[in-house]
Amino acid sequence: MRFRAVHASLALTLLLPGPAAGQPGSEPRPPSPDSVLGFEIGSDRRLADWDEITGYLGLLARSSPRVRVDTLGETTLGRPFVALTISSAANLRRLDRFLEIQRKLADPRRVASEVEAEELIKEGRVAVLITGGIHSTEVGGYQVPMRIAYRLAAGEDEETRRILDRVILLLVPSLNPDGSQLVVDWYERTLGAAWEGASPPFLYHHYVGHDNNRDWYAFTQKETRLAVTRLHNVWHPQIVHDIHQMGSQGPRFFIPPWIDPIEPNVDPLLVAGINALGTAMAWELYGQGKRGIVVNAIYDAWTPARAYQHYHAGVRILTETASARLATPIEVPFDSLDVRRGVDPREPSWRFPDPWPGGVWRLADIVDYMESGALALLQQAALYRERWLRNFYLVGLRAIGGREGWPRAYIIPAEGQNPDGLADLLRILVTGDVEVRRAGEAFVHHGRRFAAGTYVVSMAQPYSAFAKTLLEVQRYPALEEYPGGPLRPPYDVTAHTLPLLMGVEVVASDELPETRLSEPIGVPVHEKVAPGLSGRAGSPRVAIYEPWVPSMDAGWTRWILDEYGIGYHRLRDAEARAGGLRSRFDVIILPDMSPRPMIEGHAEGSMPPEYVGGLGAAGVRGLEEFVQAGGTLVAFNRASTLPIERFGLPLTDVLAGLERSQFYVPGSILRLNLTRGHWLAAGVPTRGAAWFERGPAFEVQPGGEDRVEIVGRFGPSDGLLLSGWISGGERLARRGAIAIVKHGQGRVILFAFRPQYRGQTIATYPLIFNVLRNSLEAASAKGASGSAGEGA
Ligand SMILES: [Zn+2]
């Protein structure tokens, strides 16, 4: 544990009475961040770590009647996950009343009349949630909350008073405290080295790295669940502002409007609110003399994975500030600014009226833009308090009335489903504040009989849009760059249809079934078990390769095995290079990653020596010897090309070298047909679905037939796309999706897709478990040096 000078000064401040503390009628003066930390926030090469951030914020709360701090729970690695509530002292004394108003306006079924609604709107406050620090290398995001909090705690100007009177601000200084601590520790290690300010060689969220901001509907991670269940679902904020950073070479600051496409279930009033608020913020910042602000660029609003609030009557304002090298300044000459996703940072336009002239860019600039952005947002929230509340109420009112052209209900049979998938789908809906009820008896609906216990989601409820977007099929629109031009590639993945991902049947209906329904259910209690594997955490014979170029897919794979209680070892480059892997492991998994970063790793001089270089030739040889000696090597998605190319397997990736204009699937759900009765396919529907995202597709080379078994193929052209977007699908149709290739005494099992995508593809988990089980059983039957199993 480090010991820093600031801790001493913090302790001192705690011991000494404040200048006016304890005297009636006067408030203690809130301490400024620099008086506690010993440096100005935004100083070059200085970052406050998580202990210092929470230490300062605690002190601020103790010295200001405008600030309250709560620990909402523990992070993945056991740190406190904290949130501040900031408002006028008078508002904070009546917090329960304002909470009650929020609850009522959020669900108009609780409001007796329009008269009552207007009274609530008159009395209420706008709830604004501001979150920082989800992405830990975007360091300004967890430094600036201290400045925002201090400004609101100490400000006596009219603007600050208006914000405090009309707004209840929920401020989360970091959505990922573990990562904030890890990156600050890492950064301090790099100071003065050739690699000062480099990104760390590990994931900044223990399991999912940057994907922690893709978890806003699956809620797989503790931090997401804390934010959703303890803040969103309690306060139903009208405005949510998430503070991020982007690359260094583009505009200085991004604010919505989003670019198209907007996911069609987002209420149009929210879209209009985002447009108005975002452009007003940009206007305010331009008025302060800031330059290089872009709106309506780069980021779309398609996936709910980044936008819980869009389905819960709140607007999402993302801001992205240009980055330095962590807290180290950089020089960005004007001529070095470059075009990214259609934005030219050197050319003015309606959405980018005043380009930034280039120069030195430092953390001080970053936190300055961030703070101004947050205050501009709070200013707008305060100015239009009533409008935000009224629109919020209207969105709820429209939802409970049932929107035109929408189903009236979703029916989810309780029987004949993938049990893990059903439990998880229900967990997601209920955690997302969707009311799910159960039928008390069997019923017949549109000629089909449903058993007692069937789940029913009526769409006449406030958050029906959340249920609808997750239960229906996505049809991502093909947007052209210009009429007749090339298709504009999506910003993110394009599909999120839970029934397909989780192997659960869900029936949309234009009528609510006529049957007696229960009260809304809670989150189902369900233990995930992989028979023969769960509980074998002790001496792992399974290894997950984890490179020093951080792999989110490796992290997700670890998360899934941990969820099921399956033991594993994290295999590092040095171990692979040292060889002798067969005596230690029966199965090695290569997560989704292209071969080059796995083999080459970080370049010399870019990292401390222990993180430099990847598998290298020796590591690849170590893996091949492991297979030849009877081991099973499993490769997910892009990693498949490593053994294909480096071991000379008799397979061709038919998609290799294709241009985006010839073939492109940015993240979609495709038909997967499996070989009936094959051991690897047990527990998965023969006609199933696979998550495809930049994967390969296999063809057996002539003469390779006796070594290769194709266990699964992608569907035919006309039935290939199940949800999302695909172009050039005929190139993938009927190609191999899973291949088992004999190599020496062992085998390589290749997946052309991600069977464990972001902890959501429960339908294809059994494919992984079957491989592990088959390999471990074969090994224990033959002894550790025996060859891999071939069936059974
Ligand atoms: Zn980010």
Side-chain angles (χ1 to χ4, degrees):
M1 179 166 262
R2 286 172 319 152
F3 207 80
R4 291 176 153 201
V6 291
H7 289 140
S9 78
L10 199 147
L12 206 64
T13 325
L14 284 170
L15 287 171
L16 297 171
Q23 290 167 26
S26 65
E27 293 177 357
R29 219 190 317 267
S32 64
D34 60 298
S35 73
V36 175
L37 301 171
F39 62 92
E40 291 276 353
I41 291 169
S43 301
D44 289 349
R45 300 185 172 80
R46 296 302 298 268
L47 293 172
D49 69 9
W50 190 237
D51 288 342
E52 291 166 323
I53 293 168
T54 50
Y56 171 70
L57 295 172
L59 200 57
L60 190 68
R62 283 193 291 279
S63 59
S64 169
R66 301 174 182 174
V67 181
R68 193 178 119 170
V69 64
D70 293 290
T71 298
L72 305 185
E74 272 194 358
T75 64
T76 303
L77 300 181
R79 289 192 174 79
F81 185 96
V82 305
L84 306 182
T85 310
I86 303 177
S87 196
S88 70
N91 285 347
L92 288 189
R93 281 194 295 271
R94 297 179 61 217
L95 219 46
D96 286 348
R97 172 61 186 157
F98 296 121
L99 201 54
E100 178 61 19
I101 294 173
Q102 287 291 119
R103 256 168 45 84
K104 284 189 159 189
L105 291 176
D107 185 351
R109 293 171 303 183
R110 302 177 206 256
V111 179
S113 64
E114 290 307 301
V115 175
E116 191 196 353
E118 276 306 313
E119 284 167 5
L120 294 170
I121 289 164
K122 288 259 170 340
E123 188 186 349
R125 303 289 185 262
V126 185
V128 176
L129 170 61
I130 298 183
T131 54
I134 192 165
H135 292 153
S136 316
T137 49
E138 302 166 13
V139 293
Y142 49 97
Q143 304 294 304
V144 76
M146 290 182 281
R147 262 175 49 170
I148 296 169
Y150 172 66
R151 182 139 167 186
L152 294 171
E156 295 300 340
D157 55 294
E158 194 187 326
E159 188 72 62
T160 304
R161 290 265 174 207
R162 183 160 60 219
I163 290 169
L164 293 167
D165 286 344
R166 301 183 185 182
V167 173
I168 292 167
L169 170 62
L170 309 160
L171 179 61
V172 178
S174 178
L175 283 169
N176 179 18
D178 295 334
S180 302
Q181 187 64 45
L182 285 170
V183 167
V184 174
D185 287 343
W186 162 257
Y187 178 64
E188 291 178 350
R189 276 178 66 193
T190 74
L191 285 174
W195 46 84
E196 176 174 319
S199 284
F202 43 73
L203 294 170
Y204 51 64
H205 180 281
H206 177 67
Y207 286 117
V208 304
H210 189 273
D211 268 357
N212 58 358
N213 198 35
R214 300 293 183 276
D215 198 36
W216 294 106
Y217 67 78
F219 320 125
T220 62
Q221 302 302 308
K222 274 177 124 177
E223 294 79 8
T224 326
R225 289 198 293 271
L226 284 170
V228 164
T229 62
R230 302 294 307 278
L231 293 167
H232 284 275
N233 294 354
V234 174
W235 273 102
H236 312 287
Q238 279 82 31
I239 299 171
V240 181
H241 173 32
D242 197 27
I243 299 175
H244 285 251
Q245 286 176 217
M246 56 185 172
S248 310
Q249 301 304 120
R252 298 299 91 189
F253 198 61
F254 160 82
I255 318 177
W258 309 107
I259 57 169
D260 283 321
I262 308 287
E263 203 278 321
N265 296 301
V266 183
D267 192 287
L269 194 49
L270 298 178
V271 180
I274 292 162
N275 297 348
L277 177 54
T279 44
M281 289 166 65
W283 189 27
E284 168 68 23
L285 266 60
Y286 272 117
Q288 296 170 11
K290 292 191 164 56
R291 305 180 69 181
I293 299 155
V294 70
V295 299
N296 187 235
I298 308 169
Y299 306 96
D300 67 25
W302 181 260
T303 176
R306 299 194 308 270
Y308 183 76
Q309 53 276 46
H310 283 176
Y311 305 87
H312 296 83
V315 302
R316 174 171 192 247
I317 297 291
L318 165 76
T319 58
E320 296 269 1
T321 308
S323 294
R325 266 176 81 79
L326 301 182
T328 298
I330 53 171
E331 176 77 34
V332 187
F334 184 74
D335 289 339
S336 75
L337 294 169
D338 57 22
V339 180
R340 185 174 166 248
R341 293 190 71 93
V343 179
D344 184 346
R346 291 170 297 186
E347 282 297 322
S349 68
W350 79 262
R351 55 189 180 151
F352 186 64
D354 193 10
W356 179 66
V360 177
W361 187 252
R362 48 176 25 111
L363 183 58
D365 299 310
I366 294 169
V367 293
D368 188 31
Y369 272 73
M370 286 175 170
E371 183 182 10
S372 297
L375 285 159
L377 177 136
L378 291 167
Q379 205 181 81
Q380 290 294 315
L383 276 175
Y384 296 102
R385 184 193 63 83
E386 279 198 24
R387 185 178 300 183
W388 284 111
L389 293 180
R390 190 171 293 109
N391 286 356
F392 173 72
Y393 173 69
L394 276 176
V395 171
L397 205 57
R398 293 216 277 239
I400 63 166
R403 279 171 53 184
E404 213 183 315
W406 284 24
R408 298 295 302 279
Y410 285 98
I411 304 169
I412 309 169
E415 290 165 358
Q417 303 273 32
N418 178 322
D420 292 356
L422 177 63
D424 225 36
L425 184 141
L426 293 170
R427 175 188 65 80
I428 287 171
L429 292 177
V430 173
T431 305
D433 244 0
V434 172
E435 291 168 2
V436 180
R437 296 167 194 271
R438 298 195 80 169
E441 58 218 3
F443 62 93
V444 175
H445 186 67
H446 291 333
R448 177 170 168 184
R449 186 177 184 282
F450 292 90
T454 295
Y455 300 91
V456 176
V457 178
S458 161
M459 291 298 276
Q461 57 169 306
Y463 309 126
S464 53
F466 187 70
K468 180 165 177 284
T469 191
L470 294 179
L471 298 180
E472 72 183 4
V473 164
Q474 280 73 53
R475 293 284 169 235
Y476 188 90
L479 300 174
E480 296 170 343
E481 296 281 7
Y482 48 85
L487 293 177
R488 183 201 288 167
Y491 171 74
D492 209 323
V493 300
T494 61
H496 43 265
T497 310
L498 295 184
L500 292 171
L501 293 168
M502 300 187 165
V504 177
E505 187 201 10
V506 176
V507 181
S509 176
D510 54 4
E511 266 179 312
L512 192 63
E514 282 183 37
T515 180
R516 191 165 48 80
L517 293 175
S518 69
E519 286 301 300
I521 63 166
V523 172
V525 178
H526 178 79
E527 196 190 352
K528 289 175 178 167
V529 177
L533 295 171
S534 297
R536 290 178 62 157
S539 53
R541 298 286 299 171
V542 176
I544 300 171
Y545 170 65
E546 194 146 356
W548 294 116
V549 176
S551 162
M552 290 185 273
D553 205 60
W556 280 114
T557 308
R558 279 193 279 113
W559 180 78
I560 290 164
L561 297 196
D562 280 348
E563 280 287 287
Y564 281 85
I566 303 170
Y568 57 86
H569 173 77
R570 298 168 75 171
L571 181 72
R572 296 297 188 173
D573 290 321
E575 295 170 284
R577 291 192 294 250
L581 298 171
R582 181 65 193 109
S583 63
R584 298 173 61 198
F585 306 111
D586 298 319
V587 189
I588 296 175
I589 297 173
L590 298 181
D592 173 30
M593 194 173 201
S594 47
R596 201 169 146 180
M598 281 196 275
I599 294 170
E600 295 179 9
H602 292 290
E604 213 172 311
S606 70
M607 278 280 153
E610 62 266 39
Y611 304 119
V612 162
L615 286 166
V620 173
R621 196 163 51 245
L623 291 174
E624 184 166 15
E625 284 168 4
F626 163 78
V627 176
Q628 284 168 331
T632 297
L633 181 69
V634 182
F636 292 151
N637 214 38
R638 289 173 296 171
S640 296
T641 53
L642 186 144
I644 291 176
E645 287 168 9
R646 304 296 289 244
F647 301 178
L649 303 182
L651 282 176
T652 304
D653 169 15
V654 298
L655 303 176
L658 292 181
E659 299 287 330
R660 263 189 187 182
S661 57
Q662 297 170 296
F663 177 80
Y664 192 43
V665 181
S668 301
I669 304 170
L670 305 183
R671 171 67 69 207
L672 172 69
N673 293 323
L674 294 168
T675 305
R676 191 180 301 277
H678 197 282
W679 64 266
L680 199 154
V684 185
T686 307
R687 260 170 66 79
W691 178 266
F692 193 87
E693 184 180 354
R694 295 180 293 174
F698 309 129
E699 188 173 78
V700 184
Q701 289 171 2
E705 294 82 358
D706 55 337
R707 282 178 63 196
V708 181
E709 191 182 1
I710 297 290
V711 187
R713 290 182 182 278
F714 294 108
S717 283
D718 55 359
L720 182 58
L721 179 66
L722 299 180
S723 188
W725 194 56
I726 189 169
S727 78
E730 65 285 351
R731 294 177 186 273
L732 183 63
R734 299 183 196 279
R735 300 294 189 172
I738 305 173
I740 304 176
V741 187
K742 287 185 204 154
H743 194 62
Q745 292 181 63
R747 61 189 177 179
V748 182
I749 301 183
L750 305 165
F751 288 84
F753 57 94
R754 292 172 66 185
Q756 52 12 331
Y757 163 75
R758 287 180 181 165
Q760 295 173 31
T761 48
I762 292 174
T764 48
Y765 284 3
L767 300 172
I768 306 168
F769 298 154
N770 291 339
V771 169
L772 298 185
R773 201 179 292 117
N774 180 270
S775 307
L776 297 176
E777 280 168 6
S780 62
K782 296 181 185 180
S785 60
S787 64
E790 295 191 12

